[in-house]
Amino acid sequence: MMRKVLKNIFIGTLLVGIMACSDDYFDVNTPSASVDVEDLGMSDLLGPVIHSTLYAQYYAETVVGNYTQYFGGYGYAAAGYSELSATWSEIYLYILPNTEAIKNKAEETGAIHYGAIAEILEAANIGLAADMWDNIPFTEATDGTENPYPNFDTQEEVYASAINLLDSAISALLSEDNSNISVGDEDLIYGGDMDQWLRAAYTIKARLQLHLIYKGVYSASDVLTTIENGFTTVDDDFLLDFPSDELNPWYANNVLTRNTGNYYRAPNDQIVGMMNGNSYPFESGIVDIDPRLPIMFQNEGAEGDPWRGFINGGEGESFDGEDANTFFKDGGYYTNATAPLILITYAEAMFIKAEAAFLANGGNETSVGANNTAYEAYMDGIAASMEKLGAEGTDYMADTSVDVGVGNLMLNHIMKEKYIANYLNVETYNDFRRYDFSSDVFMDLALRLEGEGDDSEYAGQWYRRAVYPDSEQNSNEDVVNANWQEPTVDVWWAQ
């Protein structure tokens, strides 16, 4: 049944995308055969919203994954600043109008658990939008033609709204739903399991709280309190599986396209260097590479050649000046035809816990030593990632470059493992910006080569936000201009 639901998502998304945050969107993007939202039930709306939520993340990652040096186009090209227009469209055309519709219908029918799911999805999406653009339309975003020029909420206001939505969802999920309206296969994530949605709400909340520690809005102890109620196993991972008759976009747009001579992406040397022993040399004499490396990528060099990733902005070379040889694997965990799209995982939850405990213990970017809570969560996060990818991680986790001991744990150890476990997840861009692209936190991190002496006005700088799409600029010019910032300016929570 779930495959049937997913198969019809593309049609459903078009049918229900009937409102937008500006007049331009409403006029251009409303299909001529739109169905009135009043004629659709909550079960009709939920699947498309979930689908668009994962695709909003995917579209953002196709750009910001360059900034975090997970990959480069054609193996080495580095992306410039971006509007992230596809992500904007998913959020403002196909998600927010429909989460609003679900919430309204849930209120009318007393289906509080349906409403809670809509609140969780809404919180995740406005959090993503605020992370990418800073100030965004939210309070007035779903007014449609009644308000074609919506004002923008500040990122601070959006974050407060997202946390409030999650708290409301948590309260509802802790309460009994007496509506006799159940959530079923239209729930493409948990199949109607409200306990898992509850844990998801707590985990997403902890992620958002973590972003605000350095603004003083939340403390590391607050994050620890929240994450204690979050995911408990890899079975809780918030991900969208693809059935056999659909194609995962990372597979379709990188493996298949490369096989047919079209545009593709290839792994950057930053991620490969984290896994092949370059950035963190193995010390046991037993381990040569991270066991996840050949599950994610393939080495196309000569037999015995080391794994070499591409340097963004280069001409196909790797760290040692030799030609890079590492590509996305056909059949790899992230790049097989039915691989999932991922929002947030148990592994990430453990690294959130590890970082929060490290900070609560007085740790900083360069300090050494932690407590047992931080260390156990760090190791649990690695084990969860290994389990999810089907890797045999015993020797890796026993190597003293990984199992450094409580007294030697540093923030860079935690963030290295989170960087690997969160591969192709847009959250890594938030991690980079939270720590100001620090090479103390992300070992061996260096600016893209094209940033050194080229003609770009942003040469030598990191891209720290998306710019507003032209469509919004054209339809809501005055408001957009009032919120405009250069792409190299930090978003509010990173300032």
Side-chain angles (χ1 to χ4, degrees):
M1 178 62 180
M2 192 169 292
R3 289 187 177 186
K4 181 179 179 182
V5 174
L6 183 57
K7 194 171 184 180
N8 290 315
I9 288 298
F10 297 99
I11 297 173
T13 301
L14 290 176
L15 290 176
V16 300
I18 66 172
M19 292 183 283
C21 66
S22 71
D23 197 32
D24 179 69
Y25 277 143
F26 186 87
D27 289 339
V28 173
N29 292 289
T30 301
S32 59
S34 291
V35 174
D36 193 298
V37 71
E38 297 302 323
D39 296 330
L40 296 168
M42 292 181 290
S43 61
D44 300 312
L45 296 166
L46 182 59
V49 168
I50 290 172
H51 180 271
S52 288
T53 294
L54 273 299
Y55 265 85
Q57 301 275 330
Y58 163 74
Y59 290 133
E61 179 61 13
T62 60
V63 174
V64 303
N66 285 270
Y67 307 157
T68 57
Q69 300 189 6
Y70 275 151
F71 52 74
Y74 281 109
Y76 51 85
Y81 69 89
S82 175
E83 297 178 357
L84 299 186
S85 56
T87 295
W88 183 278
S89 293
E90 290 289 345
I91 292 172
Y92 287 108
L93 281 176
Y94 305 130
I95 296 173
L96 296 187
N98 298 322
T99 55
E100 189 69 18
I102 294 172
K103 289 191 299 177
N104 290 338
K105 291 174 183 291
E107 185 175 1
E108 292 168 2
T109 60
I112 62 173
H113 288 175
Y114 242 117
I117 293 174
E119 289 177 320
I120 294 167
L121 293 170
E122 189 166 280
N125 279 286
I126 64 173
L128 171 65
D131 290 337
M132 296 301 105
W133 290 281
D134 203 2
N135 299 343
I136 57 163
F138 174 59
T139 306
E140 301 177 4
T142 56
D143 290 347
T145 54
E146 296 177 6
N147 181 14
Y149 310 111
N151 286 313
F152 284 25
D153 297 49
T154 66
Q155 188 185 59
E156 183 176 7
E157 292 169 335
V158 174
Y159 258 72
S161 295
I163 296 294
N164 286 337
L165 284 165
L166 291 167
D167 285 340
S168 176
I170 288 167
S171 178
L173 291 170
L174 288 171
S175 303
E176 186 175 354
D177 187 326
N178 296 314
S179 67
N180 293 319
I181 298 174
S182 60
V183 182
D185 286 343
E186 68 272 19
D187 172 6
L188 304 178
I189 306 300
Y190 298 125
D193 188 324
M194 293 301 116
D195 289 337
Q196 289 187 300
W197 276 109
L198 178 61
R199 292 192 287 274
Y202 277 114
T203 306
I204 294 168
K205 180 180 177 180
R207 175 196 267 186
L208 297 182
Q209 288 178 318
L210 188 67
H211 298 171
L212 302 183
I213 286 179
Y214 288 105
K215 297 301 288 187
V217 179
Y218 294 100
S219 68
S221 295
D222 292 330
V223 177
L224 286 172
T225 298
T226 301
I227 202 64
E228 281 303 312
N229 296 298
F231 291 159
T232 57
T233 73
V234 297
D235 292 333
D236 288 332
D237 289 358
F238 191 119
L239 52 81
L240 177 68
D241 284 314
F242 280 75
S244 58
D245 53 352
E246 301 290 345
L247 291 179
N248 172 284
W250 292 111
Y251 168 77
N253 297 320
N254 297 290
V255 175
L256 289 186
T257 52
R258 180 173 176 241
N259 290 342
T260 55
N262 293 301
Y263 178 88
Y264 67 92
R265 302 173 185 87
N268 183 271
D269 193 58
Q270 183 69 25
I271 181 67
V272 176
M274 290 282 192
M275 303 178 77
N276 67 2
N278 285 343
S279 295
Y280 290 83
F282 297 109
E283 299 170 353
S284 63
I286 298 173
V287 180
D288 295 320
I289 59 171
D290 185 320
R292 293 167 290 188
L293 185 58
I295 294 173
M296 296 162 58
F297 310 125
Q298 58 193 38
N299 184 337
E300 297 187 7
E303 185 175 353
D305 275 0
W307 294 74
R308 297 186 175 101
F310 292 79
I311 296 178
N312 280 23
E315 298 181 354
E317 72 271 25
S318 190
F319 71 98
D320 58 1
E322 299 292 328
D323 289 343
N325 58 19
T326 303
F327 296 88
F328 282 117
K329 183 177 182 178
D330 188 348
Y333 177 78
Y334 297 99
T335 50
N336 67 77
T338 59
L341 291 180
I342 300 169
L343 177 70
I344 191 167
T345 65
Y346 170 62
E348 182 184 335
M350 290 299 95
F351 293 123
I352 290 172
K353 183 177 181 179
E355 181 185 353
F358 185 88
L359 297 176
N361 193 55
N364 58 42
E365 294 182 22
T366 57
S367 65
V368 181
N371 56 24
N372 287 332
T373 299
Y375 198 75
E376 289 172 6
Y378 159 73
M379 295 298 284
D380 286 346
I382 302 171
S385 176
M386 294 290 176
E387 180 182 354
K388 200 67 181 182
L389 270 65
E392 174 46 65
T394 303
D395 289 340
Y396 175 87
M397 293 181 64
D399 192 282
T400 51
S401 68
V402 176
D403 188 5
V404 296
V406 176
N408 294 316
L409 185 68
M410 298 182 68
L411 187 60
N412 73 78
H413 296 124
I414 297 170
M415 301 310 290
K416 167 226 179 181
E417 291 295 342
K418 186 179 181 185
Y419 182 72
I420 296 169
N422 262 8
Y423 191 64
L424 299 183
N425 195 311
V426 71
E427 179 62 14
T428 300
Y429 187 41
N430 297 327
D431 291 340
F432 272 44
R433 291 179 294 169
R434 286 194 299 116
Y435 287 107
D436 196 26
F437 298 86
S438 170
S439 58
D440 288 327
V441 180
F442 300 96
M443 192 73 70
D444 295 334
L445 181 65
L447 195 67
R448 62 198 181 279
L449 292 183
E450 72 169 12
E452 299 177 1
D454 67 2
D455 294 329
S456 168
E457 60 183 309
Y458 303 115
Q461 301 178 74
W462 295 100
Y463 293 115
R464 297 171 183 268
R465 65 169 69 206
V467 298
Y468 296 113
D470 283 343
S471 55
E472 191 67 15
Q473 173 79 14
N474 294 337
S475 63
N476 199 10
E477 182 177 3
D478 291 342
V479 176
V480 170
N481 287 342
N483 290 276
W484 181 271
Q485 293 283 357
E486 295 292 328
T488 51
V489 174
D490 280 318
V491 297
W492 164 75
W493 54 243
Q495 293 172 357

